Amino acid sequence: IAAIPAAVYMLQDQEAHAAEMERTFIAIKPDGVQRGLISEIVSRFERKGYKLVAIKLIVPSKEFAEKHYHDLKERPFFNGLCDFLSSGPVLAMVWEGEGVIKYGRKLIGATDPSKSEPGTIRGNLAVVVGRNIIHGSDGPETAKDEIALWFEPKELVSYTSNAEKWIYG
Ligand code: ADP
């Protein structure tokens, strides 16, 4: 009986965390896949404490790449960027966790790897902006749209990880 209040408290705590959970779209671009960096990149998200809820390896068509990068269609590098994204396998993923959209971008580092902090994925593993190995959604709306573009709802796997109580307390 003495344990019940603690159990109730824990449940409320977990529910509070569940309410703050968010999902982001992360993709390892063809350069990251070809360079054998999948395990290195996945492991950074995994070890941080984020939860993988969807993953697949696909070669996107040029049209699909254009949809993904539609916000950049006026930029001079748009065509080359879409050719590049559709030039080989892309590892598409959805990661879940508290603050994963914003902090995921921190793990990734600045767009131009010559300006990314050391310790970030791009800072450690890439050199030039046109080959910066990874994509991550830049906000909640983009995350929602990109997840819907790359994945069917049934491909997203909801599950409880036993590690969560050790990650979130
Ligand atoms: P991020 O990927 O960091 O969100 P952007 O949305 O601004 O950055 O750009 C999308 C992608 O377009 C970048 O990751 C990079 O691959 C490419 N890109 C951005 N700027 C340039 C540039 N000046 N020249 C070539 N490619 C670029």
Side-chain angles (χ1 to χ4, degrees):
I1 285 169
I4 288 172
V8 169
Y9 174 76
M10 259 186 71
L11 197 64
Q12 283 170 344
D13 214 37
Q14 281 168 10
E15 279 168 0
H17 285 301
E20 288 161 29
M21 284 302 168
E22 50 182 43
R23 288 176 171 179
T24 192
F25 174 70
I26 300 290
I28 304 180
K29 299 181 193 179
D31 48 348
V33 173
Q34 294 289 350
R35 290 178 53 201
L37 295 173
I38 289 175
S39 61
E40 166 75 36
I41 293 170
V42 167
S43 104
R44 290 184 182 215
F45 280 84
E46 202 171 34
R47 285 182 293 154
K48 168 76 175 166
Y50 296 138
K51 183 163 73 179
L52 185 64
V53 297
I55 187 165
K56 65 181 170 188
L57 189 67
I58 50 170
V59 182
S61 66
K62 176 99 184 265
E63 294 69 34
F64 190 91
E66 287 168 354
K67 269 191 205 159
H68 172 75
Y69 278 129
H70 68 276
D71 279 353
L72 299 172
K73 63 174 177 292
E74 306 303 332
R75 307 295 290 273
F77 55 82
F78 178 71
N79 191 48
L81 176 62
C82 295
D83 276 338
F84 170 63
L85 194 73
S86 56
S87 69
V90 170
L91 190 76
M93 297 175 279
V94 178
W95 285 89
E96 182 182 288
E98 224 176 277
V100 68
I101 300 173
K102 205 166 175 188
Y103 203 88
R105 297 270 297 182
K106 280 196 181 188
L107 290 181
I108 289 170
T111 303
D112 181 347
S114 72
K115 301 190 178 81
S116 311
E117 293 295 323
T120 63
I121 291 166
R122 287 169 175 163
N124 283 168
L125 305 169
V127 183
V128 298
V129 71
R131 296 292 181 272
N132 62 4
I133 70 172
I134 181 167
H135 168 83
S137 306
D138 63 7
E141 278 309 305
T142 327
K144 208 163 129 271
D145 292 349
E146 291 176 351
I147 291 168
L149 176 66
W150 287 80
F151 288 97
E152 305 276 344
K154 67 173 190 292
E155 293 177 301
L156 304 172
V157 185
S158 293
Y159 62 101
T160 303
S161 151
N162 288 324
E164 275 163 42
K165 59 180 177 284
W166 301 106
I167 293 164
Y168 295 102

